[in-house]
């Protein structure tokens, strides 16, 4: 049994690295779709993602959830809001990558945990530990420094972070798995996206049929690029601790940051380095506090087990919330799920999609 458990964890880690690695390297894919604009790429991503997950659900025969969802107007409304928010997130991300703002886009996913915590305090009236307050304050200082460095607020980063965090808060109320969630949201996006593509074609502005079969195949592959990392993430999420996934989530923005500097050649003057350093300090504080709380909770449970001798000690309600290491259920770079030390506001969110 122990060997089987270790084997499962290895499989989970490999899938986790694969998922976050693919999300981290996705900036290499979007430029391949030029001369298509960000709007056309986004619409194709919606259309082909639905086609891909529909086939996947047909193969595994997982359709019961759809009927249940249609009978719950409130949940369907939340899914509609989630679809609208993720549309903004996807669109801004694609535009940012293809417009030379890869580093700024990576910053959005670095600061997302801080934004999520801030939204939890402001909207859900949640209470933070002192270290979490220090991390949020450090993150706010980083935004000020970056505003000075860019000569403007880092709008791309803030838009990605806030849309990402809003999506997580909405999905917190919707209990759907990753593939099902992707299917439901892209089903809502499908008709507007298809209508936009038909309109582009009627105007003669569509590149799908004018740039060759290779270009058309790449546009169709947006569905695969969206769904495959999600499958790997789902395999990881059920096999490794959330604390491990919380650390793995930083692979994606780190890869993007490195690509922005070394592959796309984006500038990093000293003031931007200073801003990013403050963000990384804030994330270090969050991660340290979360891991410390997890260890403290584990020690308390072991002590309780020793006292009761029952083998299954009663678990204090909210223990997962107190740890600060939770599943965010929000999509990371261009849509990846990002569990981790992002604060209590994310603790109940289901797994989302890329």
């Amino acid at each position: 049994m122990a060997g089987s458990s270790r084997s499962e964890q290895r499989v989970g880690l490999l899938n986790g690295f694969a998922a976050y690695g693919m999300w981290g390297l996705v900036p290499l894919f979007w430029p391949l779709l030029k001369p298509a604009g960000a709007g056309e790429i986004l619409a194709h991503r919606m259309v082909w993602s639905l086609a891909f997950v529909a086939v996947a659900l047909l193969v595994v025969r997982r359709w019961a959830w759809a009927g249940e969802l249609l009978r719950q107007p409130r949940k369907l409304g939340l899914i509609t809001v989630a679809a609208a928010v993720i549309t903004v997130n996807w669109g801004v991300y694609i535009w940012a990558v293809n417009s030379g703002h890869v580093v700024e886009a990576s910053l959005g996913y670095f600061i997302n945990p801080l934004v999520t915590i801030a939204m939890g305090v402001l909207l859900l009236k949640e209470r933070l530990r002192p270290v979490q307050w220090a991390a949020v304050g450090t993150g706010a200082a980083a935004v000020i420094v970056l505003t000075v460095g860019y000569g403007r607020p880092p709008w791309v980063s803030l838009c990605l972070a806030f849309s990402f965090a809003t999506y997580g808060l909405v999905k917190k109320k919707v209990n759907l798995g990753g593939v099902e969630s992707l299917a439901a949201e892209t089903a809502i996006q499908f008709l507007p996206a298809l209508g936009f593509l038909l309109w582009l074609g009627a105007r003669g502005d569509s590149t799908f049929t004018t740039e060759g079969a290779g270009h058309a195949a790449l546009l169709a592959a947006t569905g695969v690029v969206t769904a495959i990392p999600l499958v790997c993430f789902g395999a990881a999420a059920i096999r490794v601790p959330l604390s491990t996934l919380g650390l793995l989530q930083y692979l994606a923005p780190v890869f993007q940051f490195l690509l922005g500097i070394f592959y796309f050649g984006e500038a990093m003057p000293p003031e931007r380095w200073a801003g990013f350093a403050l963000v990384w300090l804030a994330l270090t504080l969050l991660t340290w506090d979360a891991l410390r709380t997890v260890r403290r909770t584990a020690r308390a449970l072991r002590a309780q087990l020793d006292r009761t001798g029952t083998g299954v000690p009663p678990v204090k309600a909210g223990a997962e919330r107190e740890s600060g290491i939770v599943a965010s259920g929000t999509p990371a770079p261009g849509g990846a799920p990002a569990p981790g030390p992002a604060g209590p506001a994310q603790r109940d969110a289901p797994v989302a999609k890329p």
Side-chain angles (χ1 to χ4, degrees):
M1 292 293 291
S4 174
S5 176
R6 285 194 295 271
S7 175
E8 285 288 291
Q9 286 208 3
R10 281 196 294 271
V11 171
L13 278 174
L14 288 174
N15 277 280
F17 277 111
Y20 285 109
M22 283 185 277
W23 284 320
L25 296 176
V26 77
L28 297 174
F29 178 71
W30 303 125
L32 299 177
L33 304 182
K34 293 178 178 180
E40 184 179 2
I41 296 171
L42 174 63
H44 275 287
R45 185 179 191 182
M46 296 171 179
V47 169
W48 294 108
S49 292
L50 178 61
F52 185 90
V53 294
V55 171
L57 290 171
L58 188 63
V59 170
V60 298
R61 299 181 180 179
R62 282 162 51 184
W63 290 104
W65 61 272
E68 296 175 4
L69 179 62
L70 292 174
R71 291 190 293 270
Q72 301 178 64
R74 180 178 179 276
K75 185 177 285 190
L76 189 58
L78 289 173
I79 286 287
T80 302
V81 173
V85 174
I86 201 59
T87 296
V88 173
N89 186 273
W90 282 359
V92 171
Y93 185 80
I94 293 169
W95 175 86
V97 170
N98 283 359
S99 301
H101 297 280
V102 176
V103 169
E104 192 175 350
S106 75
L107 175 64
Y109 294 105
F110 277 125
I111 66 175
N112 173 70
L114 304 170
V115 172
T116 301
I117 287 179
M119 291 179 69
V121 172
L122 295 174
L123 301 180
L124 304 180
K125 309 302 180 185
E126 295 183 338
R127 299 174 61 184
L128 301 183
R129 295 183 292 272
V131 175
Q132 291 175 313
W133 276 116
V136 172
T138 304
V143 172
I144 294 173
V145 171
L146 288 164
T147 297
V148 173
Y150 279 104
R152 57 172 175 78
W155 294 118
V156 169
S157 306
L158 293 173
C159 184
L160 289 173
F162 276 92
S163 61
F164 202 72
T166 302
Y167 179 82
L169 289 175
V170 173
K171 289 298 293 291
K172 187 172 179 287
K173 305 296 183 182
V174 182
N175 186 23
L176 274 182
V179 176
E180 292 87 349
S181 176
L182 179 61
E185 289 160 27
T186 51
I188 291 169
Q189 297 167 332
F190 179 79
L191 287 179
L194 183 61
F196 178 72
L197 292 176
L198 292 174
W199 176 75
L200 280 181
R203 284 169 46 111
D205 293 333
S206 172
T207 65
F208 184 69
T209 57
T210 61
E211 297 295 324
H215 179 73
L218 284 172
L219 286 172
T222 54
V224 178
V225 170
T226 299
I228 292 298
L230 173 66
V231 174
C232 294
F233 176 84
I238 61 175
R239 290 177 171 88
V240 299
L242 287 175
S243 55
T244 302
L245 285 178
L247 296 176
L248 287 176
Q249 75 164 317
Y250 295 121
L251 285 176
V254 165
F255 284 172
Q256 292 170 26
F257 177 77
L258 295 175
L259 282 175
I261 295 175
F262 296 110
Y263 182 80
F264 293 101
E266 295 184 17
M268 278 295 290
E271 56 271 22
R272 292 186 195 171
W273 278 112
F276 269 85
L278 286 172
V279 169
W280 295 330
L281 173 60
L283 294 177
T284 300
L285 289 172
L286 274 186
T287 303
W288 172 78
D289 179 67
L291 294 175
R292 181 188 63 168
T293 306
V294 165
R295 288 194 295 268
R296 183 184 301 163
T297 302
R299 285 196 299 268
L301 290 176
R302 284 196 297 269
Q304 194 171 24
L305 173 61
D306 291 340
R307 287 196 302 271
T308 60
T310 61
V312 183
V315 178
K316 177 182 176 182
E320 184 185 69
R321 172 178 179 173
E322 292 174 359
S323 74
I325 294 187
V326 288
S328 74
T330 52
Q346 298 174 315
R347 65 188 181 276
D348 299 324
V351 173
K353 62 177 187 300

